[in-house]
Amino acid sequence: MNINFKRALSQKSVYIAALSVCLIAVVALAILSFLITRDSQKNTEDFARKTFVRKYESVENEFRNIEDYQYLLRALIQKDGLKNYKDYSSVLNDLNKKRNLLAYSWYYYYNEVSGKTETNSPLSEVFKKTGNIEKSVPLQNNAAGHFKDLLMTRKDSLYWVSYDSLLLPDKNTLYYGSAVSLDDLHQYFINVDKSSNTYAYVFTKEGICITHPEKKYLGKNIFDFTDIKPKDTLTGKTKSGYTEGIAISEYLGVEVTRFIKPLKTDNFEGYTVVNHVNFIIDENVYKVKTYTTYIFLAALFLIVTVFILFQRSAHIAYKEKEKIQSEKNLLLVENEKMHKAEVINQLQQLKNNINPHFLFNSLNSLYMLIGINKDNAQKFTMNLSKIYRYLIVPPKENIVSVAQEINFIQQYMELLKSRFDEELNFKVVINHQESLEKRIPYLSLQIVTENAIKHNIATIDQPLEIIITIEENGIIVKNTWQLKTEPVQGEKFGIDYLNQVYGYFKNNFVNISVDGEYFICFLPLMK
C-alpha cells in the first residue's frame, strides 16, 4: 500500500507566498502613492484657484477704490467749477491719509490770458508746454470713464496719473485728477494677504508693469522679464475667463501655477497675474506620502512576521503529524504484508488441492475406461502423460495467459473424448484475438469444464454441449443445463478457488447464471 502525504505549507510555497505579498504590497503602495499624488494635485489646483480668485478680488477692489475716488473728484469739480476746487482737493487728500487710500488728488489751473498757472502738485508740470511730456508714457484706455492715464517718472519714482480737464467759459483750462505712487501700490500689495503663498502683479495693455513685489520691475515691459507670451492674455477663448499654466517665477525662481485674467474698470484696462507657489503643497504631499510609506511598510513587516511565525508553527505541527502518519503507514504496510502472506498461503493450499483433485478425477476416468475400451484407455493414458506436464510446475502467482489455458483445455477435452466419445460436444470460439494475450487464473477453464461434466448428464441421447467463447473483457463458458438427480460431492471447491484468485488481484469475481437451457459462467480477463 502506497500512501502520499502532501505537506500543507512547504518552504517553497512560503517563499512564493511571501514574494507575492511583497509584490502586491509594492503595487498597492505605487497605486496608493499615485492616488495620493493625484488627489493632492487636485487639492493643490483647487486651492490655487481659490487663492487666485481671492487675490484677484483684492487687486480689483483696490482699483475700484481708485476709480470711485476719481468719480467723486469729477463730480465735485464739475459741480462747482472753479469756486472750491482747491478746498475739495485739500479735504480729499486729508481723508485719503486717514483711510490709508493710495490715491491723492491734484489740480492744475492754466489762465489763457495771463499765462499764469496754479497747481498743488509738482506732477502737474507734465501739462506745461515745456517739453516735459517725454517723461510720461500715455496708457491706452478705451473704457467709459473718460479719464486719461499716464505713467510719469519723477525723482526715480513712478506715478500712475489719471486726469480730466474742464474748459471754462473764458477759455481757461482746469486739469484735475488723481495720482498713485507705484511704490505705494507695490508696498500695499505686499502687505495684502501675507499668509498666502501667492503674489500678484498688474500690467497694462501695452505690457507695462505697474505693480510687482520686486520693485525693479515697475515700469518695465512684462514680456521682457517674464516668459509670458501674448497668447497667454487671450482669455476670451477660455470658459473660465482666465488662462492657467505652469511657469518659473521671475521673482522666486521656483515653479508656480500662473493665472492671468483681464483687469478692467471704467478707467483702466490691463491684466492681473497671480502666481501660486507649488513647492509648499508639494512638500506637504511628500510628507504625507512618506508617512504613508512608513505606516505601510510597518504593516507589511507585521504581516510577514505573523506569516513566518504561522509557517513555523505549521511546520512543527506538520512534522508531528508526519511522524504519526509514518508510524501508521509502517503498521499498514506490515499488515498488508501479513495479509498477502496469508492469502498466498491459502492459494498455495488450494493449488496443492487442485493438482491431486485433477489427478484423482483423471485416474477415476481411466479406471472406468479400461473396463469399456482398452484402446481408448491407452490413448487416454498417453494424453494424460502429455497434459500432466502442464500441472507439474504451476505458475507462482496462479495466473497464466489465455492462450496457454486454451491450449491446455483443448488437450484436456481430447482426453475426455476418449472417455465420452459422442456423449460430449466441445467447441472453442475466438471473437477477440487480442484477448489471447490477457490472463486468467491457472486451470480456470479446466475447473469450470470439470464442474459441467460432474453436475450434468452426458449420454448419446442427451449429449453434453460445452462452448468456450473468448470476448474482449472475459471468457464465457456455456454448457447445456441438464443436472444429475443424485447429489455431487465438493461442488463449490473449484469456484471458491477462482474467487480467491480474483479477490487477491482485486479483480471482478466469477459470474454464474442460468439462461434458459444453458448454464453460463463468465470469467473476467486480467491484463
Side-chain angles (χ1 to χ4, degrees), residues 64-95:
R64 295 290 182 191
N65 288 337
I66 295 173
E67 179 183 277
D68 291 342
Y69 177 79
Q70 292 171 344
Y71 281 146
L72 176 60
L73 180 62
R74 169 184 282 174
L76 292 174
I77 293 297
Q78 291 183 351
K79 178 181 178 182
D80 292 334
L82 290 175
K83 293 181 180 179
N84 301 307
Y85 67 87
K86 295 180 182 180
D87 295 335
Y88 291 152
S89 180
S90 177
V91 171
L92 287 174
N93 286 334
D94 290 339
L95 289 174

Side-chain angles (χ1 to χ4, degrees), residues 339-398:
H339 177 68
K340 282 186 177 182
E342 182 180 356
V343 171
I344 291 172
N345 185 49
Q346 292 176 358
L347 291 177
Q348 188 62 37
Q349 291 178 1
L350 287 170
K351 184 173 66 175
N352 294 335
N353 291 332
I354 284 289
N355 291 341
H357 178 73
F358 171 72
L359 182 59
F360 173 78
N361 287 339
S362 299
L363 293 175
N364 187 43
S365 298
L366 178 60
Y367 172 76
M368 294 175 63
L369 192 60
I370 290 172
I372 299 173
N373 190 329
K374 292 183 179 181
D375 293 334
N376 287 342
Q378 290 177 352
K379 281 184 182 183
F380 187 90
T381 304
M382 292 301 294
N383 285 334
L384 179 61
S385 65
K386 292 179 182 179
I387 67 173
Y388 205 78
R389 294 172 187 167
Y390 187 67
L391 304 173
I392 294 175
V393 184
K396 184 177 180 180
E397 293 183 343
N398 283 4

Side-chain angles (χ1 to χ4, degrees), residues 305-355:
T305 302
V306 172
F307 189 80
I308 291 174
L309 292 176
F310 170 76
Q311 190 273 337
R312 288 179 62 86
S313 64
H315 178 68
I316 294 173
Y318 160 75
K319 285 295 185 183
E320 293 294 331
K321 189 174 182 180
E322 189 180 48
K323 183 179 178 181
I324 296 172
Q325 188 66 30
S326 178
E327 294 175 353
K328 186 185 293 185
N329 291 345
L330 186 60
L331 291 175
L332 290 174
V333 170
E334 293 297 328
N335 290 336
E336 187 70 16
K337 288 180 178 179
M338 292 176 63
H339 177 68
K340 282 186 177 182
E342 182 180 356
V343 171
I344 291 172
N345 185 49
Q346 292 176 358
L347 291 177
Q348 188 62 37
Q349 291 178 1
L350 287 170
K351 184 173 66 175
N352 294 335
N353 291 332
I354 284 289
N355 291 341

